Structure formats: C-alpha cells, structure tokens
Amino acid sequence: MKNIKGVNIRISKLQLILLVASFLFLTIDGKAQSINGWLGTPVTFDTSADILTNKTSSNYLTLQYSLNSNSQSGWTVIIQANSNFSNGTAIIDASFVSLSYASSSGGPAGTTGTGYQSLSTNTAKSMINSSGNITGANRNFQQLFDMRVSGGNHLNVGSGTYSTTLTVTILDRNGAVMATNNNIPVSFVVNYSSTCQGATLNTYSSTQGTFTTYAEQMAGKTVTDALSVQYSPNGATCDEWSLHVRAAGNFTNGSQSVAPQFFSLRFNRVSTGTPTATQIGVSNTPVVLNNTDVVLIDGSNAPFGAYVFTEHKFDMLIQGGSHLMVPNGTYTATLIFSLYNSNNVLVSTSTVAVSFQVNSVSNSFTLELQNSANEINLVFNTLESYVNGVSVNKPRGMRVVGYQPYQVLIKTSGINLVGSESNTIPVAAVNVQTTKYTSSSGGISTFSRALSTADQVIVTNPMVDYTQQVVEYDLRYYTAANDSRLSGKTGTFNTTVLFVIIPQ
C-alpha cells in the first residue's frame, strides 16, 4: 500500500508543474511576471506576382510585458519559433519569416532593434539592444514588431493560413529569465495557389447530334454547346491550370461502334464566371478526341477567382463519312475531363456520357451483298490478262428490299487500290456493272461505273411496280483491255467498295 501511495504523490507533483507552466507565469520573489501578445493585420499573398515578392505587415505583433522586478541596461528580448509554419497540409520553413522591433509604448528609454531577424526553430534570436533600466515606474510596457515574409516559390505549396507559435523571453543583463511565454501565435495568409488545392470539376452533356439523311451523314454536323465544364475553385486561385479530355472507348450502340477520332471538341465561350476567354488565351481550334489525353486548354494565362463558380461551353464537331453509315440508334461514349495545375499534377476529374443519334430513313431499306459478292478478286496472272482485261461476275450478288423509290450509290474508301511498299493502282482502273437479275426491268434503271470516291448511282428504282419491292441484281467487276495503269504492277492491291441506298 505504501508503494502505491508513493506513485500517486509523484504523479500529483508532475500535474502541478504542468498546470503552472500552462499559465505562462514566471514568479520571482513571490510576484508573478508575464508576457502576452496580440496581432495586427497579417501579411497576405493574393496573386502569382505577390508570392514572388517580399511583403511586410507593420506593427503586426504587439508584446505586453508585466514585470515585478528591476533590471539594469543590457536586458533583451529573444524570440524562437516553436515549429515551421503550416496550413494543416503544407509546411513553409520558419526561416522565410522575419521579425523586426518597430517601437515601444511605455517602458524604459534607450531601446533599439537589431533589425530583421529570421525566425528559427533551433535558435532564439535577440531582437533588441537596451540602454535603459527597467524600474518600478516602467515595468509594464508594450513592444511592437513588424513581420516580413520572403517571397518565392516556397510559398507556392497551397492556399491557406500558415501559422505557428513563438516562445518570447525577456532576459536581464545577466541572462536570467524575467518572464517568458511559449505560446504566442503568429500567421500569414496565402490566397494564391497554383496547386489548385481544393478545386473540383463537374461536366454535363447539353444536347446531341442527330442524323436523319444520308446527306447529313456524309456532311457531318456541329453540335453547339454540346458539353458544359464547370469549375469550383473553392479557396484556390489556381493559376496556369490546364484542361484535358480523353474518350474511355468508342461511341457504341450494342455491337455497333464509331471511333472517337471522328469527333472533336471546340471551346465556345465562358458562360459563367471568370476569367474571360481572352484572359485565358484559349483557342477555338477543334481538338480531335482520342483514347489518351488531349489538351483543350493549355496553361491558362489567368487564374480562377477564389470561390467564383465558372462554366465553359464546348461544341462537338462530328466528322461526316461512311463511318456514320451505321444502324439507327443512339451511340454513346464516356468522356473523362481532367483539371491539371501548373506543375501538370492532376487536381480533379469528371466523367460524362455524350452521345449522337442515327435515325436515317436510309436504314428503312435493306441492302445485302450475297453469293460471295462481299469479296472480289481480279487476278492478273498471264499476259492475256493485261491484253484483254479481266472480269469477275457475281450473279444475284446484291439484294435490295425497299417499299419506296430509292437509288443505290457506289463509292470507294480511297482514290487508290493500295499494295505493298506503297504501290498503288487508281480505283478508276476497275469498273462495276449492275444489271437486274430478271429480264423485266419493272422501271428500274441500272448503270456501269468506273470506281471513284465520289457517290455514283448504279441503280434507280422509281417503284412504279409494287412487284419491285424485293429485287436482286447481278454485279460484274472488270478492267479494260491494255490498261496502262495496270502495266508493271505486281502484288496484291486492295480497296473497299461501299454500297449506299438512299430514298429518291
């Protein structure tokens, strides 16, 4: 039992010591002495130019001394930082902050400062030289200090209020402590942040492109204000930020798809907030989508305003062509927008579904290549092949079902048949002839055409006879005799032939 009591007594004494220290009083000859402090307007950095500049707050720190003992000339005040400055996440070294004695209110005369002294977490810095005695008449007085914060990239670590505490001690001429306080708070404010710390991104799709005719599918379409990008910078000014986007995959409708490379985004306008498009320096040049990041806005020339909500509108440009000759339906892709800071560090992302619709009347028809007509091989393996030309017939090679007048068009995907080592043959060296499979024309017209990238009519069905709603056609591919475009060519040459049916 005695051992237990002894332990309890030791703990009680330790608690008492801590309690006395928390009051930050120093007792000499039974009389309490103290140092208290309060702050003025803090140093504040609002812009990118600010953080590169030394800034000062005059009379920022006021120290109040309440002393009950005398001291001859030679007494001094020393100050040490208890830690580096922090906003809770980022740290700025205390050595970038300096204090300088400015003036006194009351107290002994003959007090001069030692100039700006950078704070240290290891060493207490002497702030004054005294030539006056502290006596009973001037034991309660104030001293004012200016604070200077050195500008530089060390401040570009995030916005917020950066704080620490100081230990302030007044020593007599012999170095004995007269009073001390180890919890004097000081701080400065950084509103500017190129880290974009705390900024968030949001996106939504406003409207979609719709294609109802073959002409629209070939021409493409621009969808104005198709996408909106919203920025919430919160407390960050977020200078020199960039906006990227990538497609997570193709635009799909079931098993059908269109690659993202046929789609572009173009900056349209700042619909809400700041900075303006001119201040940003953004280009209105369309940017082609890809499965990897592409840059929409590269290193803005102006920051967002802290707590200023901003929205940008982007147009979507859909490239026309045969890639849009897909079944009717809605084709959707996922786009991922990313906000990067000036150091190309990712700040925030937002995902949005964007789509276009095909509702083409051409898709109410059915055009089918049958009887192996989907692959044509023209073989030149003898001299006679070149002299006489070659021909490949596909009886009943094409079948069309339609219930209104139509035309069938033919075109190639490129101007040449392409072989190995970049050898080419013009597609016009190959001809296609279309004839109706049955002898009765039923008012249908058929044609022979030299292949071309241009749309060419090979069938016209005015539907004057209801019996012509389901029609089969013979296809013949052939070359002319002694065609010099084929002379000296060896290897396998390829192209793609497209058949398109449209209402008449």
Side-chain angles (χ1 to χ4, degrees):
M1 292 296 291
K2 289 182 179 179
N3 289 336
I4 294 174
K5 288 182 179 179
V7 171
N8 286 337
I9 290 172
R10 292 191 189 99
I11 292 174
S12 297
K13 288 182 177 179
L14 178 59
Q15 289 173 334
L16 179 61
I17 292 169
L18 291 174
L19 182 62
V20 171
S22 69
F23 279 99
L24 300 170
F25 279 80
L26 185 65
T27 302
I28 297 178
D29 297 331
K31 298 178 180 181
Q33 305 197 112
S34 67
I35 302 174
N36 292 305
W38 60 87
L39 306 177
T41 303
V43 172
T44 301
F45 298 88
D46 293 316
T47 68
S48 58
D50 278 354
I51 70 167
L52 300 178
T53 305
N54 298 339
K55 300 194 73 175
T56 301
S57 176
S58 299
N59 299 327
Y60 171 68
L61 172 63
T62 300
L63 297 177
Q64 171 72 50
Y65 306 99
S66 296
L67 306 174
N68 292 309
S69 60
N70 297 329
S71 180
Q72 297 177 353
S73 63
W75 57 271
T76 189
V77 174
I78 60 175
I79 296 179
Q80 181 174 345
N82 296 324
S83 65
N84 291 319
F85 287 78
S86 174
N87 67 347
T89 55
I91 294 174
I92 296 175
D93 197 279
S95 63
F96 293 112
V97 178
S98 304
L99 292 176
S100 176
Y101 169 75
S103 63
S104 294
S105 176
T111 300
T112 59
T114 57
Y116 276 104
Q117 300 292 321
S118 60
L119 294 177
S120 170
T121 58
N122 300 315
T123 305
K125 299 294 183 72
S126 176
M127 303 303 299
I128 63 168
N129 293 314
S130 65
S131 60
N133 296 335
I134 299 175
T135 64
N138 56 22
R139 290 174 182 163
N140 298 309
F141 60 95
Q142 297 176 357
Q143 288 184 331
L144 283 72
F145 294 82
D146 300 336
M147 175 187 274
R148 182 176 67 194
V149 182
S150 298
N153 285 329
H154 53 272
L155 298 179
N156 193 15
V157 290
S159 60
T161 298
Y162 287 80
S163 305
T164 189
T165 58
L166 305 177
T167 295
V168 179
T169 304
I170 185 167
L171 305 173
D172 67 16
R173 63 185 297 174
N174 298 316
V177 176
M178 300 178 66
T180 188
N181 187 332
N182 63 2
N183 193 33
I184 301 290
V186 289
S187 61
F188 61 92
V189 178
V190 178
N191 288 325
Y192 168 83
S193 174
S194 67
T195 66
C196 296
Q197 181 183 7
T200 59
L201 203 62
N202 182 53
T203 52
Y204 65 92
S205 177
S206 305
T207 185
Q208 66 179 11
T210 300
F211 298 89
T212 59
T213 67
Y214 173 72
E216 289 179 343
Q217 290 167 290
M218 292 300 102
K221 184 165 291 189
T222 296
V223 185
T224 303
D225 289 352
L227 287 164
S228 297
V229 179
Q230 298 175 329
Y231 311 83
S232 296
N234 299 308
T237 49
C238 202
D239 202 1
E240 297 181 11
W241 50 272
S242 297
L243 181 67
H244 298 194
V245 67
R246 65 182 173 89
N250 292 340
F251 287 76
T252 60
N253 175 29
S255 62
Q256 302 294 321
S257 66
V258 180
Q261 288 80 5
F262 295 111
F263 301 79
S264 301
L265 294 183
R266 181 178 65 196
F267 180 86
N268 183 308
R269 59 196 169 93
V270 178
S271 59
T272 303
T274 59
T276 67
T278 300
Q279 291 169 335
I280 294 170
V282 62
S283 169
N284 295 107
T285 302
V287 177
V288 179
L289 293 178
N290 207 325
N291 297 118
T292 57
D293 265 6
V294 293
V295 180
L296 294 173
I297 300 175
D298 188 12
S300 171
N301 295 331
F304 293 118
Y307 301 105
V308 177
F309 174 83
T310 300
E311 182 177 84
H312 293 169
K313 298 290 188 181
F314 287 85
D315 303 333
M316 173 174 279
L317 285 67
I318 306 174
Q319 180 181 330
S322 57
H323 52 274
L324 296 181
M325 299 299 295
V326 288
N328 286 348
T330 299
Y331 291 76
T332 303
T334 298
L335 301 186
I336 302 171
F337 287 81
S338 301
L339 178 66
Y340 288 84
N341 67 19
S342 61
N343 296 319
N344 204 34
V345 175
L346 179 64
V347 176
S348 180
T349 62
S350 180
T351 300
V352 60
V354 60
S355 61
F356 72 95
Q357 189 175 56
V358 176
N359 188 25
S360 177
V361 293
S362 296
N363 289 333
S364 63
F365 299 95
T366 300
L367 189 153
E368 178 185 5
L369 295 177
Q370 59 185 18
N371 297 329
S372 71
N374 60 324
E375 185 171 346
I376 307 298
N377 293 311
L378 296 170
V379 180
F380 295 82
N381 55 9
T382 65
L383 179 60
E384 288 75 15
S385 299
Y386 292 95
V387 172
N388 301 321
V390 298
S391 177
V392 172
N393 294 306
K394 294 293 181 179
R396 301 168 61 194
M398 181 174 68
R399 180 176 183 268
V400 176
V401 178
Y403 300 96
Q404 65 182 94
Y406 64 81
Q407 288 183 322
V408 177
L409 312 179
I410 192 171
K411 64 194 300 185
T412 59
S413 58
I415 61 173
N416 293 313
L417 294 103
V418 180
S420 60
E421 299 180 359
S422 301
N423 289 323
T424 61
I425 297 172
V427 293
V430 179
N431 304 281
V432 178
Q433 180 184 43
T434 307
T435 55
K436 193 168 179 291
Y437 173 65
T438 58
S439 57
S440 173
S441 69
I444 295 175
S445 300
T446 58
F447 306 92
S448 295
R449 306 294 187 191
L451 291 180
S452 169
T453 55
D455 289 328
Q456 299 185 92
V457 178
I458 58 170
V459 173
T460 298
N461 184 349
M463 207 66 69
V464 295
D465 187 339
Y466 75 93
T467 62
Q468 307 306 309
Q469 295 171 346
V470 180
V471 184
E472 292 180 312
Y473 300 89
D474 296 336
L475 300 176
R476 174 175 173 254
Y477 292 81
Y478 62 97
T479 62
N482 297 310
D483 191 334
S484 60
R485 292 171 294 186
L486 304 173
S487 178
K489 303 291 185 178
T490 58
T492 302
F493 296 79
N494 297 282
T495 192
T496 299
V497 181
L498 306 174
F499 292 82
V500 180
I501 187 169
I502 61 173
Q504 189 178 16

